[in-house]
Amino acid sequence: MTTELLSAILDGGLRHPHFFEGRILTATDLSVEREAHRARQRRLGRALGSGIVSGLEVTIRDRGAGGTVPVLGITAGLALAADGDSLELAADIDLCLARELEHEPPPDSPFHACAPPSTKPVAVGEGVYLLLLGPAAGFRERAVMSGLGDPKAGAGCGSRWALEGVSFRLLPYDPLAEELLPATHRDQLADLLTDAATPARRSRLRNHLAHLFLASAAQAAVADDPLAALAGETPTNPIAGLRQRGEIADCEVPVALVHWTLSGLHFADPWAVRRRPVPSLQHAAAPMLSGDAFRADAEARVLQFQQHLAELLDEAAAPTSLVAREHFRFLPAAGLLPVAGSDRPRGLSVPAFFADRTVRGPLFTEGARVAPLFDRSYAFPAIDTESDEMVWLYSIRENRQRVPERPAVIFTSGFMPLFGDARYDINRWSFGNFSSFLV
């Protein structure tokens, strides 16, 4: 049956009670009105996209060594789920990763349709897990019951307030079963999962797992078969597969990637799975070549690296001896390195960090170019430390001139264009900003 122009298409539309003078108002009418408003809000939420809006930072409070239960610190924050619902943690909490049963919300709760996909006991212990944020609901206080046609009117009571909140759960994840893994990456990951006894191997394991979710291999696959990417045949991110299999519900948002061993938590990595809200792809047939999802992944690569590196420097016995190839399989297309200085004893040595790798620089660049440099880097794939790709190095002129005791160096992929300042001949040197401190 065809539909004519200007015909009202009402099937599947929002249903509101029609209020008119003299109509008897019931709890059912109010519930339907509430659900209509919720459905409209979900439409807006889906338009904005799933992701974390603010907060929900994850840190390790207690690693759980010696058989104790690990504890994570989670800050207050707001997220949008794939189904459009908003999830807000109102205050900072310490989350105990204990074994508990998942309970469905009450039948008449507003979140009932978005109950978690499993009611089995949460499996905790050795392995890789996704920490997921989902909805929760409950009731508080009591109110006197009264109603038309109820012989017990005034003699009973019901719940006064229906409360919408959140809950966290751990989802076990087997990275070796992931179809996105190339064979060489799978072999390396299997080896690291078997033996992560040294700090370097633990760091490399974390990096491997993070970049599986950061779609680094998937982005590289675009060049291998661009027509497959255009047709939407190239897989992108494990999260999408977990949603398709029903292991992650549309009402849940990934918050962190956790590696738990018999000796406690090795790491809790938020930016491996954390993303800002990303609208739906403009062209569903080309998810690898359009939309904002890849840019969000690239931004997360930078933030994941910076957090990983900061924790690595805090824990390293000799920070200046850290080597990129030993601790990272992948690097973002651009990153900021804290270099050891008089006011930063726990910094890197750039020559050691990029040992056995071709570098150009450090060249000088203006501070005004730093933000455009990182913005440009989001279009480039991650750096594979096992490749022979050259790396650009930059010193920031203002940093060297004004705060030389806390030096920093930017690295970028060799595929990126040069962001350094042009060299001047002797007649023009005094025109440059560097002449005041480099002579």
Side-chain angles (χ1 to χ4, degrees), residues 56-120:
L56 296 173
E57 303 286 348
V58 179
T59 56
I60 297 177
R61 292 275 193 264
D62 186 343
R63 293 188 180 275
T68 61
V69 177
V71 177
L72 297 176
I74 304 178
T75 64
L78 176 66
L80 291 175
D83 66 357
D85 264 329
S86 59
L87 305 171
E88 184 171 20
L89 180 65
D92 299 354
I93 64 168
D94 287 339
L95 181 68
C96 177
L97 303 185
R99 185 187 303 271
E100 294 182 359
L101 289 173
E102 297 176 6
H103 298 283
E104 292 192 13
D108 55 349
S109 118
F111 279 135
H112 181 66
C114 276
S118 172
T119 56
K120 297 179 180 178

Side-chain angles (χ1 to χ4, degrees), residues 350 359-364 392-395 400 408-410 423:
V350 175
V359 298
R360 293 290 182 266
L363 308 172
F364 281 100
W392 292 106
L393 298 178
Y394 299 96
S395 290
R400 285 290 303 274
V409 168
I410 297 172
R423 293 182 178 273

